[in-house]
Amino acid sequence: MAADLEDRLKALMLRGQSGDAAAWRELLALLSVRLRMFFARRLDGGADVEDLVQETLLAVHRRRMTYDPAQPFTAWAHAIAKYKLIDHWRRNRTRKHEPLDDLADFLAAPETEAPETRGDLDRVLAHLPDRQQKLVRDVKLQGLSLAEAGARAGISEGAAKVALHRALKALTEFALKGRDDKERG
């Protein structure tokens, strides 16, 4: 699986270096999912995760011409992510130990959900307006940035942020109401 992923990412990188915009977008989308998992495991979630994902994707974009096709792509991308994480810790005066040999963790496939979980999720999201459902799916499930999800929805990044916040608040209230109903019944 890891070798297949390496081959796929490397092929997309090489096509992206050659000017294939669709391959470049696909590479960044696949990479963003892995980066989000990589940073979330080390930062306990929060806004810093998304900031680091965006910083790393930008660094990959800016340094794409320095990538040597004779080398593994994931090791190159992992090194950039690692440096961004270390820079983040320095800025925040955080002292942490990060092992150097966790490339397999970086390559880990996103955790898949059980089919029954998908059905439950669909039922819960059905309580939201269509635009909010789409934003939750795009940002929280597909790993798109707010700017990307907003563009898909035809709204600004700021409007997407507000709509997503409202959607998550509504979902929280719905979940709490369901829990309260169970406790009473």
Side-chain angles (χ1 to χ4, degrees):
M1 175 68 182
D4 293 338
L5 177 61
E6 168 63 31
D7 292 343
R8 182 174 179 201
L9 292 173
K10 186 173 186 173
L12 289 169
M13 178 63 170
L14 295 176
R15 287 176 34 213
Q17 281 182 315
S18 299
D20 184 338
W24 189 248
R25 280 191 302 277
E26 185 180 348
L27 172 70
L28 294 180
L30 289 171
L31 201 51
S32 69
V33 172
R34 277 152 182 80
L35 290 169
R36 212 165 268 109
M37 290 184 327
F38 175 79
F39 291 126
R41 286 188 192 116
R42 288 154 181 81
L43 296 173
D44 302 322
D48 290 338
V49 169
E50 192 59 34
D51 290 344
L52 283 170
V53 168
Q54 296 305 316
E55 283 180 37
T56 305
L57 290 175
L58 187 58
V60 165
H61 179 74
R62 286 182 177 156
R63 296 183 181 122
R64 69 186 178 275
M65 298 317 283
T66 67
Y67 170 65
D68 178 1
Q71 301 300 317
F73 171 76
T74 49
W76 180 81
H78 178 255
I80 292 172
K82 195 79 122 171
Y83 285 119
K84 290 297 178 184
L85 179 62
I86 291 167
D87 288 345
H88 170 77
W89 285 338
R90 282 184 187 140
R91 281 192 306 270
N92 293 296
R93 293 183 162 80
T94 304
R95 296 185 62 88
K96 294 220 178 183
H97 171 72
E98 182 65 20
L100 296 175
D101 58 352
D102 63 348
L103 183 58
D105 179 41
F106 185 73
L107 287 172
E111 296 166 8
T112 56
E113 54 194 52
E116 62 274 6
T117 304
R118 174 60 72 181
D120 291 343
L121 181 62
D122 290 340
R123 280 190 292 284
V124 170
L125 289 178
H127 291 87
L128 296 174
D130 289 341
R131 180 179 279 173
Q132 288 183 348
Q133 283 184 42
K134 184 156 180 43
L135 285 170
V136 169
R137 289 181 191 283
D138 285 350
V139 175
K140 297 299 181 182
L141 301 177
Q142 298 298 320
L144 297 180
S145 70
L146 284 168
E148 293 166 328
R152 276 186 164 185
I155 58 177
S156 70
E157 180 178 356
K161 184 175 185 176
V162 170
L164 180 62
H165 174 75
R166 289 179 180 162
L168 295 175
K169 183 177 179 186
L171 289 174
T172 301
E173 289 171 1
F174 176 76
L176 291 175
K177 181 182 179 295
R179 186 187 69 190
D180 292 343
D181 290 346
K182 282 183 183 179
E183 287 175 359
R184 278 188 248 134

